[in-house]
Amino acid sequence: MSRRTMQSPIGFVVDSELRVVEFIGHTSPLIRLSPGAATLDLARLLTDSLRPAVLEAVDQARETLRAVAVGGVSYYELGVRRSADLSVTPEPGGLCRIELHTHGRASKASAMAHSGSTAEELAVELEATNEELRATVNELVNANQEIRRAQAALEKSQNELRARYQFMAAVLDTVGALILVLDPEGRVVEFNRACGVASGGPQGEAGALLFWDFIPPEQLAEWRGIFAKLLEETPTSTHESDWLVRGGNRRRIAWSNTTMRQPDGVRYVIATGIEVTARYLAEQFLLASEAKFRAVIESAAEAILGVDPAGKIVIANPSAARLFGYTLEELLSWELTRLLPERFRAAHPDHLQSYFDQPRPRKAFSGSFFVGRRRDGSEVPLEISLSTISTAEGEVAVAFILDITERIQHREHLQALAGKLLKAQEEERRRIARDIHDHLTQTISLLGMKLGFLAREVEGNQAAVRAGLEEARHQVDLIHEEVRDVSHRLHPTTLEYLGLVPALESLVNETEKLEKPRVHLVIGQLPDSIPQGVATAFYRIAQEALHNALKSAAAENVSVHVNTQDGHVHLVVMDDGCGFVVEEARRAGGLGLLSMEERARELGGTFAIQSARGSGTRIEVTAPLAAAR
């Protein structure tokens, strides 16, 4: 007879979701990891030989609300068949207490003798263990693939955000103008309502129209050359050309073109056009006669004013009268300063004299505007282009005036939208980081522990298998560390729980792990608590600046200074890298510089950057502590 003695019970307590909340005794023979991993799923902790019996007993105990006992449950430990008595007892709060009363353990040799196991049976058991090892390795491969998919999903999300931002910026900034989205072949992918109206009504569906069909034949070669340069090298271009409309008529359009690029080249060309037919015709008629010019400006949609060197208005059209709320007779009897706010009137004569000293056509500058004053005292933002004509009375400065109130409103809307996009991006980073931490890292940790357990289970001449498992476990540890770093870069928990200074110190330490650059962090006087919005914005700006210094500027030394003064937080990041031309970077449309500016603007602060080729870069940000939103 084999000797059998009852051991102390082992097992665990599970909640209503079958998650382990407490371990009983020494459970390592029953599960694939140490008892430290509480709140894991019960089904994932059990070995294959115990899982069916335990789960069935748990279901029965919960249905009957009574203890369930199952005798003679068999399982394998170290290749030896063992038996135990299983009991499942319901407890208050939806918990279940699961206990295994195992029988005494004999040596493996005596167990083989008493159990009557043959060499063939042990070989079958060994093959089962090997099969479990292979399944674990497959799980490891699947986990690695899951990590790669997560990284690909992150990259795709960033590309989609970038493409969405560029598209909305291009469209919203030019609402009311002609907008055409073209593919590299010149096919019209999208066009707005203003474009359809300017063309004389719908002429087909997007995708079936060719841009070239709307260009006069004599101007087609010029347009194709501009288009080719956009596809090859030039990111933006501006020019004027005629636009064919229904009935064979033409309209003059001032085009501003830009591209949406992907790594493999240009995906779309966005053509934004403003109709300048009145201005164009006016310029042409000015060459013929003043009488024809006056006829044109009378019918022009743009407001037009002519001023002599003394500042008196000598030319005005009905559009100008409507814009300022006066009659033509009133305009023609006043000086131009009456149409300006009082704060600008004193300086205007000097500006006017300066123009007449060097009279030449001057186009409106993008992003800048003048301010006019209406009859009711309200102010209106204006975009003004200047030209001169010669009359019998002498030189006259002609101003072509456009009310840009709607454009500014759309620009402000775009800025607000950009702020929301930054906040949405921050929330998405936080969500992805949380998902990686809560799910993927636990799965990888579980796999590592399972591999360690299985490595200890291999005996005898299985050294090669043991070595392979140890190597696989090492790879799991590396993957775990890599996932942790990705999660931290997406949303550093140090920033959320400890604040700006510890987060900046962690960022500097991570940067200095690389070969270059050397980073010097200087922390000045700071309050005990900085609002989360300010801390997040300043951290992201410092992160972007360090990234640029390392990747683009090839800097060897970087200094980061942060302090508060007069209720404002100040951040200065300086590097000794190769530097760049700031205006060229702005025209290139990169998101890094734009995102830093938008973060500072969202706080009601200021952003300044100084850089030149060969002289490094200095970025300075200031924001009020009380303005975080």
Side-chain angles (χ1 to χ4, degrees):
M1 296 290 293
S2 62
R3 184 176 57 194
R4 301 175 62 188
T5 59
M6 297 301 293
Q7 303 280 323
S8 297
I10 58 177
F12 22 70
V13 177
V14 298
D15 62 13
S16 60
E17 302 293 332
L18 292 182
R19 293 175 299 197
V20 176
V21 297
E22 181 183 348
F23 289 97
I24 304 170
H26 177 64
T27 58
S28 60
L30 305 177
I31 59 176
R32 296 192 179 100
L33 74 170
S34 66
T39 71
L40 294 178
D41 292 342
L42 171 63
R44 300 176 67 180
L45 295 175
L46 297 173
T47 57
D48 293 339
S49 56
L50 277 178
R51 187 181 298 113
V54 173
L55 295 182
E56 183 179 355
V58 169
D59 291 340
Q60 184 178 353
R62 284 185 171 165
E63 290 177 1
T64 62
L65 298 179
R66 295 181 179 179
V68 176
V70 181
V73 176
S74 298
Y75 65 95
Y76 287 94
E77 179 183 357
L78 298 176
V80 177
R81 176 177 296 174
R82 303 199 61 201
S83 63
D85 295 331
L86 170 67
S87 67
V88 180
T89 305
E91 293 191 352
L95 304 179
C96 279
R97 185 181 185 89
I98 302 171
E99 293 184 350
L100 281 170
H101 300 269
T102 60
H103 301 293
R105 178 184 302 182
S107 68
K108 186 172 182 180
S110 73
M112 183 186 302
H114 290 297
S115 65
S117 299
T118 65
E120 289 78 5
E121 290 175 331
L122 292 177
V124 171
E125 295 172 10
L126 181 59
E127 178 60 28
T129 300
N130 289 337
E131 182 64 27
E132 190 171 352
L133 291 178
R134 285 191 289 270
T136 302
V137 172
N138 287 336
E139 290 182 22
L140 176 61
V141 172
N142 292 336
N144 188 38
Q145 292 175 345
E146 187 175 350
I147 292 172
R148 292 181 179 178
R149 286 193 294 270
Q151 291 174 333
L154 174 62
E155 182 177 356
K156 179 181 178 182
S157 176
Q158 291 174 332
N159 288 336
E160 288 177 351
L161 282 173
R162 185 179 297 108
R164 188 183 308 166
Y165 180 86
Q166 291 174 340
F167 182 78
M168 286 189 291
V171 173
L172 292 178
D173 197 35
T174 53
V175 168
L178 283 70
I179 301 175
L180 287 165
V181 182
L182 312 174
D183 67 11
E185 301 299 323
R187 286 185 291 268
V188 179
V189 178
E190 293 289 346
F191 62 90
N192 69 339
R193 180 177 179 275
C195 186
V197 172
S199 302
Q203 298 187 5
E205 296 293 331
L209 300 174
L210 281 175
F211 178 75
W212 318 119
D213 294 337
F214 298 90
I215 304 301
E218 70 275 10
Q219 299 176 10
L220 190 57
E222 178 186 4
W223 243 114
R224 287 189 179 276
I226 294 171
F227 198 84
K229 288 183 178 180
L230 285 169
L231 295 179
E232 294 173 1
E233 54 188 36
T234 306
T236 60
S237 68
T238 57
H239 74 290
E240 291 186 9
S241 68
D242 290 336
W243 181 257
L244 296 177
V245 301
R246 180 173 294 181
N249 294 325
R250 298 187 180 194
R251 295 187 179 182
R252 191 71 174 180
I253 307 296
W255 295 102
S256 176
N257 310 306
T258 187
T259 57
M260 290 182 60
R261 295 181 179 270
Q262 291 186 335
D264 56 348
V266 174
R267 183 175 183 182
Y268 297 119
V269 173
I270 301 177
T272 304
I274 299 176
E275 183 180 354
V276 293
T277 305
R279 186 181 73 194
Y280 175 75
L281 293 177
E283 291 173 351
Q284 296 301 308
F285 287 160
L286 278 173
L287 299 176
S289 69
E290 182 180 350
K292 290 183 178 180
F293 165 71
R294 290 185 178 277
V296 171
I297 65 171
E298 289 292 328
S299 61
E302 289 177 288
I304 300 176
L305 292 175
V307 181
D308 65 15
K312 186 178 183 303
I313 300 173
V314 294
I315 298 174
N317 70 344
S319 295
R322 287 191 297 270
L323 175 62
F324 291 100
Y326 296 104
T327 65
L328 283 175
E329 291 73 16
E330 288 173 325
L331 289 178
L332 293 172
S333 64
W334 293 336
E335 292 185 353
L336 181 62
T337 52
R338 187 156 183 172
L339 302 180
L340 301 177
E342 290 188 8
R343 62 185 181 277
F344 298 132
R345 292 178 181 177
H348 185 262
D350 291 337
H351 294 312
L352 184 64
Q353 185 60 49
S354 175
Y355 178 76
F356 274 105
D357 288 342
Q358 295 181 329
R360 64 181 185 277
R362 297 180 185 178
K363 293 184 178 180
F365 294 101
S366 176
S368 63
F369 60 89
F370 297 87
V371 179
R373 185 178 183 275
R374 294 190 175 101
R375 176 190 286 271
D376 59 8
S378 62
E379 296 184 358
V380 55
L382 305 173
E383 187 176 82
I384 300 177
S385 298
L386 295 175
S387 185
T388 56
I389 60 172
S390 298
T391 68
E393 291 79 18
E395 295 291 318
V396 174
V398 180
F400 300 89
I401 306 170
L402 183 64
D403 180 356
I404 58 172
T405 302
E406 183 178 355
R407 184 191 304 177
I408 291 178
Q409 291 173 346
H410 286 302
R411 181 178 299 163
E412 292 173 349
H413 177 67
L414 175 60
Q415 290 176 341
L417 181 61
K420 292 179 181 179
L421 284 175
L422 288 174
K423 293 179 181 177
Q425 182 187 50
E426 201 65 41
E427 289 299 321
E428 183 68 6
R429 287 184 176 204
R430 183 180 291 109
R431 184 190 67 78
I432 294 175
R434 184 170 57 248
D435 289 347
I436 290 176
H437 178 271
D438 292 347
H439 302 295
L440 191 56
T441 55
Q442 279 203 21
T443 301
I444 294 173
S445 178
L446 177 61
L447 284 175
M449 288 187 244
K450 287 169 62 179
L451 286 172
F453 173 76
L454 291 174
R456 293 192 295 273
E457 294 290 292
V458 178
E459 297 185 357
N461 59 355
Q462 299 297 321
V465 176
R466 182 188 297 272
L469 287 172
E470 288 296 330
E471 175 64 21
R473 188 166 66 87
H474 177 67
Q475 292 297 324
V476 168
D477 292 340
L478 293 178
I479 293 172
H480 184 273
E481 184 67 20
E482 216 173 288
V483 170
R484 188 196 68 80
D485 289 343
V486 171
S487 175
H488 179 73
R489 288 194 298 270
L490 282 171
H491 181 69
T493 54
T494 306
L495 176 64
E496 185 171 351
Y497 296 108
L498 299 182
L500 178 61
V501 173
L504 288 176
E505 291 173 344
S506 176
L507 176 63
V508 169
N509 290 336
E510 291 177 2
T511 304
E512 288 188 328
K513 290 180 182 178
L514 305 172
E515 183 178 352
K516 292 180 180 180
R518 291 186 296 273
V519 184
H520 183 51
L521 176 62
V522 179
I523 304 297
Q525 291 185 346
L526 290 173
D528 294 336
S529 177
I530 296 177
Q532 188 64 41
V534 175
T536 299
F538 272 60
Y539 177 84
R540 292 300 184 193
I541 292 172
Q543 186 181 46
E544 180 68 25
L546 284 175
H547 174 79
N548 291 341
L550 178 63
K551 298 297 184 182
S552 302
E556 295 185 357
N557 296 281
V558 182
S559 64
V560 180
H561 300 256
V562 60
N563 70 301
T564 56
Q565 185 178 359
D566 299 329
H568 287 70
V569 185
H570 302 274
L571 172 69
V572 178
V573 182
M574 296 181 292
D575 67 64
D576 60 359
C578 60
F580 60 95
V581 178
V582 176
E583 289 306 317
E584 290 182 359
R586 294 185 191 278
R587 288 194 296 269
L591 289 182
L593 184 57
L594 179 61
S595 67
M596 289 192 287
E597 290 178 317
E598 284 298 325
R599 289 185 187 277
R601 189 193 63 78
E602 275 292 298
L603 297 176
T606 60
F607 175 88
I609 181 169
Q610 298 175 351
S611 185
R613 290 192 176 97
S615 62
T617 301
R618 174 189 171 93
I619 293 174
E620 184 171 358
V621 183
T622 300
L625 279 169
R629 291 174 291 191

